[in-house]
Amino acid sequence: MFKNILLAFDGSEHARKAAGLAADLARQYQARLCVVHAYDPIPDYLGEPFLQETISRRTEAADRIMEQALVLVGEQPQLETDVLEGPAAEAILRVAEVRQVDLIVMGTRGLGQLSGLLLGSQSQKVLSHARCPVLLVR
Ligand code: ATP
Ligand code: MG
C-alpha cells in the first residue's frame, strides 16, 4: 500500500523509535524510504569567514545525524537521503511534495526542551499541512 515513505529524523529518542517503525514498514511494503534531516537555517547577515565556518559546522553535524539514522534503518529495498536547510517542518513538507511520498513518519516530540508538550511544533506543522497520512511515534 505505501510506496514512498518519508522518515523525518532529528536524532531524538522519539525520532529513533520512528526510524525503527519506518524501516519496518518500508521493508514490509517494499517501499522507497527517504530519510530527511534539516539543519537550522544560517542567517545571511553572517559575513565571511563566519558564514563558511558556520555552514561547514552545521552540514557536518547534520551528516553525522544522518549517519545515525542510516544505522537505525538498516538494509532497505530503496533508500534516499536528504540533508537540507530548515526550518524542519518546511523542509519535510517540501521533500514530501517533491518526492511524492505517501506516508510521513516522525516523532511526536524531538530535541526541544519543553518535555511537557504533547506535540512538538514541527510535528504539529507537518500534521496540519501534509497532504498524505502522517504517523506520529511516541
Ligand atoms: P520544538 O522543536 O517545537 O521545541 P520538539 O523538538 O520536542 O519541539 P519537534 O521538533 O516537533 O519537537 O520534533 C518532532 C519530530 O519532528 C521529531 O521526532 C522528528 O521526527 C521531526 N524533526 C524535528 N526536527 C527535525 C529536523 N531538524 N530534521 C528532521 N526531522 C525533524
Ligand atoms: Mg524540535
Side-chain angles (χ1 to χ4, degrees):
M1 184 194 165
F2 296 116
K3 293 256 167 285
N4 272 301
I5 299 174
L6 185 159
L7 165 67
F9 190 81
D10 64 351
S12 65
E13 201 48 48
H14 288 77
R16 295 176 70 83
K17 285 194 191 159
L21 197 58
D24 274 359
L25 286 171
R27 277 191 288 264
Q28 197 95 25
Y29 287 107
Q30 291 289 301
R32 181 176 72 166
L33 180 63
C34 173
V35 186
V36 179
H37 175 67
Y39 53 88
D40 287 343
I42 297 163
D44 15 324
Y45 59 75
L46 280 183
E48 294 302 350
F50 308 108
L51 185 61
Q52 276 314 313
E53 272 172 32
T54 310
I55 292 173
S56 313
R57 227 179 310 121
R58 294 228 175 137
T59 52
E60 279 160 23
D63 287 342
R64 283 196 296 273
I65 292 177
M66 183 56 79
E67 278 164 26
Q68 293 173 20
L70 293 184
V71 171
L72 291 170
V73 301
E75 283 286 313
Q76 287 298 328
Q78 282 184 74
L79 188 61
E80 314 271 351
T81 59
D82 285 307
V83 173
L84 61 180
E85 192 171 335
E90 275 85 337
I92 294 162
L93 290 164
R94 213 179 323 135
V95 174
E97 283 302 307
V98 171
R99 292 200 184 269
Q100 300 193 312
V101 310
D102 47 23
L103 177 69
I104 297 173
V105 184
M106 62 197 300
T108 47
R109 296 209 336 266
L111 295 169
Q113 299 301 307
L114 297 174
S115 53
L117 285 184
L118 292 176
L119 209 54
S121 59
Q122 305 309 299
S123 40
Q124 190 153 17
K125 266 188 207 154
V126 171
L127 191 57
S128 310
H129 298 289
R131 297 211 258 183
C132 65
V134 180
L135 176 52
L136 294 174
V137 182
R138 36 176 126 244

